């Protein structure tokens, strides 16, 4: 299968040939073939774009999306500084630092190891 980037380039090349056909001296049959090929390639490109978008949404639905640690802490009703401290100590599976900000998957559980009375 042709990759999306290669397909996008092919569509652009076909579009260029169709728009500048008088420069190349194409006859009517060749012009018709170019137009049909461009139409087919565009349809395939749209299908691949849809598949990629669907895959991204499916992955996000399965894994959740990444949110700020502050937002995650509010959702789980814990203090933001406590969540940051736990992240620094490696207490979360999905927490990662990007610049000065912490990100975490929204599906991450709150691993509270304290025993409840």
């Amino acid at each position: 299968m042709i990759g999306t980037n290669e397909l996008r380039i092919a569509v652009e090349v076909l579009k260029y040939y169709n728009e500048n056909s008088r420069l190349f001296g194409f006859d009517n049959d060749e012009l018709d073939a170019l137009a049909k090929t461009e139409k087919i390639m565009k349809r395939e490109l749209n299908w691949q774009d849809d598949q990629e978008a669907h895959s991204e949404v499916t992955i996000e639905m399965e894994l959740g999306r990444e949110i700020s640690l502050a937002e995650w802490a509010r959702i789980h009703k814990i203090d933001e500084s406590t969540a940051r401290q736990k992240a620094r100590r490696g207490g979360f599976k999905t927490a990662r630092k990007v610049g000065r900000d912490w990100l975490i998957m929204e599906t991450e559980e709150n691993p509270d190891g304290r025993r409840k009375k």
Side-chain angles (χ1 to χ4, degrees), residues 46-62:
N46 287 336
W47 183 83
Q48 282 191 17
D49 284 342
D50 287 348
Q51 291 301 308
E52 286 179 11
H54 176 74
S55 294
E56 289 172 14
V57 169
T58 302
I59 289 169
E60 187 174 294
M61 287 172 62
E62 289 174 358

Side-chain angles (χ1 to χ4, degrees), residues 20 22 87 108-109:
N20 299 289
R22 60 181 168 67
E108 174 92 32
E109 294 292 323

Side-chain angles (χ1 to χ4, degrees), residues 27-117:
D27 64 28
N28 288 338
D29 288 339
E30 291 169 327
L31 291 174
D32 188 43
L34 274 173
K36 286 179 181 177
T37 304
E38 181 183 357
K39 184 177 177 182
I40 291 168
M41 298 289 266
K42 279 183 181 177
R43 189 178 314 139
E44 178 67 19
L45 179 59
N46 287 336
W47 183 83
Q48 282 191 17
D49 284 342
D50 287 348
Q51 291 301 308
E52 286 179 11
H54 176 74
S55 294
E56 289 172 14
V57 169
T58 302
I59 289 169
E60 187 174 294
M61 287 172 62
E62 289 174 358
L63 300 177
R65 62 186 176 90
E66 211 167 35
I67 60 175
S68 72
L69 189 61
E71 182 181 351
W72 182 91
R74 279 191 296 277
I75 291 168
H76 291 277
K77 297 177 175 63
I78 63 172
D79 189 72
E80 185 180 336
S81 62
T82 303
R84 271 196 314 273
Q85 186 178 53
K86 188 172 219 153
R88 278 194 300 272
R89 292 179 177 167
F92 297 113
K93 294 176 187 171
T94 62
R96 66 186 183 100
K97 194 164 187 181
V98 178
R100 64 181 189 90
D101 299 320
W102 281 95
L103 299 176
I104 189 169
M105 297 302 288
E106 68 180 346
T107 55
E108 174 92 32
E109 294 292 323
N110 181 15
D112 188 354
R114 295 177 294 174
R115 292 200 290 195
K116 308 268 194 255
K117 291 184 181 183

